[in-house]
Amino acid sequence: METGNHSCGTDFTLVGLFQYGHMDTFLFTVISILFAVALIGNITLVLLIRLDRRLHTPMYFFLSQLSIIDMMCISTTVPKMGANFISDTKAISVLGCEIQVFMFMSLAGCEALLLGFMSYDRYIAICQPLHYPVLMSRKICCSMVASAWSSSSINALAHTVYVFQLPFCGSRMVNHFFCEVPSLLPLVCEDTSQYEHMIVMSVLVLVLLPFLAILASYARVLVVVFQMGSGQGQSRAVSTCSSHLTVASLFYVTGLCTYTQPHSLHSPGRDKVVAVLYSIVTPVLNPFIYSLRNKEVIGALRRQMG
């Protein structure tokens, strides 16, 4: 079998969401609208938190970081996908592919950790309110965010360097709409089973543990709220926790499904649909789920609009 390595400079080819041209216009329109909505929603949320002093709290500090991550995440995949929709070539350079892999892995890992920290913040605020100013001081919050960014970036860098030093065989046709580790492994000429075990370990630490922390935190919050005996407080807590858990579950479960399966069990069509959920739909939903149901954010928006 003829083998080659990325060092020869051969570009990769992204198949895209569909392989049939008649779907391109419709998909381009839908993806463009989602991209614009995600940018507008997240930029608005970041500006509101920055401009309104009433939102200068740990919860909104984490939320602003989440919005920044979502903007960067959707900007990593959608612009290139949109360019491919309207161009005759589907090529992406080796460097461009490496950048997509690194950026997406680091941003997704950071978001997974950040969502866990946000649930911890709510747990402390409701279950231990007297200790909240100490346990969630500005220094501790900044340390949490810095640890999320640094650990996810180091993890992404390690995976990116390892994957692109592997030998790729013959065709470099990536059956996906952006460069992602699971979609690149079928192109590798050698056995990658050991490396796939490393991926699973990374995902368990960066994704599964924060998800379990979120479930435990919200479960404890609901227990405490129901013990208070306030009907209005109970309904608000259930509504808020359910909406947050829905979006978080969409992100975590889809990510776990993609990154914990061996590449021999992957289905390109299913992988693309799942990737749309955690790379495009989640950044669109996050600012609305965390803001439109929040009276403080709505109040800040009204004040800024006069």
Side-chain angles (χ1 to χ4, degrees):
M1 179 180 293
E2 183 180 350
T3 61
N5 195 280
H6 76 281
S7 58
C8 66
T10 305
D11 291 344
F12 290 95
T13 301
L14 295 173
V15 171
L17 278 176
F18 289 89
Q19 296 177 257
Y20 305 101
H22 66 274
M23 294 295 298
D24 284 1
T25 302
F26 173 74
L27 285 175
F28 177 73
T29 303
V30 172
I31 297 299
S32 298
I33 292 173
L34 292 176
F35 181 63
V37 170
L39 289 183
I40 293 171
N42 284 293
I43 289 174
T44 301
L45 193 54
V46 170
L47 290 177
L48 281 177
I49 294 172
R50 175 69 177 173
L51 295 175
D52 198 302
R53 295 186 62 85
R54 301 183 190 184
L55 301 183
H56 292 183
T57 63
M59 180 179 73
Y60 293 108
F61 172 63
F62 289 139
L63 190 54
S64 67
Q65 292 294 311
L66 180 64
S67 291
I68 292 172
I69 291 171
D70 283 338
M71 284 189 290
M72 294 176 65
C73 186
I74 200 170
S75 298
T76 300
T77 59
V78 170
K80 179 60 180 175
M81 180 171 57
N84 285 348
F85 279 162
I86 58 177
S87 68
D88 294 330
T89 176
K90 308 295 184 182
I92 181 172
S93 66
V94 174
L95 178 60
C97 197
E98 290 174 339
I99 291 174
Q100 276 197 336
V101 169
F102 171 75
M103 290 297 296
F104 187 79
M105 285 196 74
S106 59
L107 292 169
C110 189
E111 179 162 342
L113 294 172
L114 191 62
L115 288 172
F117 292 149
M118 291 173 67
S119 68
Y120 174 74
D121 170 77
R122 291 299 82 204
Y123 164 75
I124 297 297
I126 295 175
C127 301
Q128 300 184 41
L130 297 180
H131 300 288
Y132 186 80
V134 176
L135 295 177
M136 298 303 297
S137 65
R138 181 176 181 81
K139 182 178 180 179
I140 291 178
C141 291
C142 291
S143 297
M144 287 180 171
V145 170
S147 66
W149 279 101
S150 58
S151 59
S152 60
S153 297
I154 293 172
N155 176 71
L157 180 62
H159 284 287
T160 304
V161 171
Y162 183 83
V163 168
F164 284 93
Q165 58 83 38
L166 294 172
F168 293 100
C169 305
S171 171
R172 294 188 170 216
M173 187 79 67
V174 181
N175 200 350
H176 209 357
F177 60 89
F178 69 99
C179 286
E180 193 176 22
V181 170
S183 63
L184 292 172
L185 292 184
L187 307 181
V188 176
C189 299
E190 61 186 38
D191 179 39
T192 59
S193 57
Q194 293 298 320
Y195 172 62
E196 289 174 38
H197 295 325
M198 294 172 55
I199 295 177
V200 172
M201 292 301 297
S202 298
V203 171
L204 291 180
V205 173
L206 289 177
V207 179
L208 184 59
L209 289 182
F211 186 41
L212 293 177
I214 289 175
L215 295 178
S217 297
Y218 280 133
R220 180 57 181 163
V221 166
L222 290 175
V223 169
V224 171
V225 170
F226 275 94
Q227 287 177 345
M228 293 178 180
S230 171
Q232 185 178 5
Q234 292 173 1
S235 61
R236 286 185 59 188
V238 171
S239 176
T240 301
C241 289
S242 61
S243 61
H244 291 189
L245 279 174
T246 300
V247 178
S249 298
L250 179 66
F251 174 76
Y252 285 112
V253 173
T254 52
L256 286 169
C257 289
T258 297
Y259 281 86
T260 56
Q261 282 187 338
H263 79 261
S264 58
L265 298 180
H266 278 267
S267 166
R270 182 188 61 206
D271 287 348
K272 293 175 190 178
V273 174
V274 172
V276 167
L277 294 177
Y278 61 71
S279 66
I280 298 176
V281 174
T282 299
V284 173
L285 291 179
N286 275 342
F288 298 100
I289 293 296
Y290 288 103
S291 61
L292 290 181
R293 303 174 66 90
N294 190 312
K295 292 183 178 180
E296 292 176 325
V297 174
I298 297 299
L301 180 60
R302 289 173 176 168
R303 287 191 293 272
Q304 294 302 322
M305 295 178 65

